[in-house]
Amino acid sequence: MSCVQKWVKQLKNERRGTPPPSGKALSPEQQEIQQLKAKVKQLELEKDILKKASALLMSDSFKSAK
């Protein structure tokens, strides 16, 4: 299978909603989905860090209040 045939196959799959197995997406929609997934992952990580920091600060404030 030639390189062009692989690109055509990947593009057809992306248009059907199948994400590419690896590498960059060809269609703008799949590129946007990849960017949004990366953003969601980053935001979830930040949320977890803030949650842990908040719990740590609360435990410290309870200890010092006693």
Side-chain angles (χ1 to χ4, degrees):
M1 185 179 292
S2 74
C3 190
V4 174
Q5 288 173 325
K6 288 178 185 178
W7 289 343
V8 170
K9 181 180 177 183
Q10 181 182 346
L11 185 58
K12 286 179 181 179
N13 287 337
E14 287 180 20
R15 288 185 175 161
R16 281 189 246 128
T18 306
S22 64
K24 290 279 189 183
L26 297 178
S27 70
E29 294 86 7
Q30 286 294 329
Q31 289 174 351
E32 183 178 12
I33 289 170
Q34 285 179 338
Q35 291 170 351
L36 291 172
K37 284 183 178 183
K39 183 69 173 176
V40 165
K41 186 176 181 178
Q42 178 67 30
L43 291 172
E44 287 176 345
L45 178 64
E46 290 174 7
K47 180 188 74 163
D48 290 342
I49 290 170
L50 290 172
K51 192 185 293 185
K52 290 175 184 176
S54 176
L56 182 64
L57 290 173
M58 291 299 290
S59 70
D60 284 347
S61 67
F62 284 131
K63 288 178 185 177
S64 63
K66 290 182 181 182

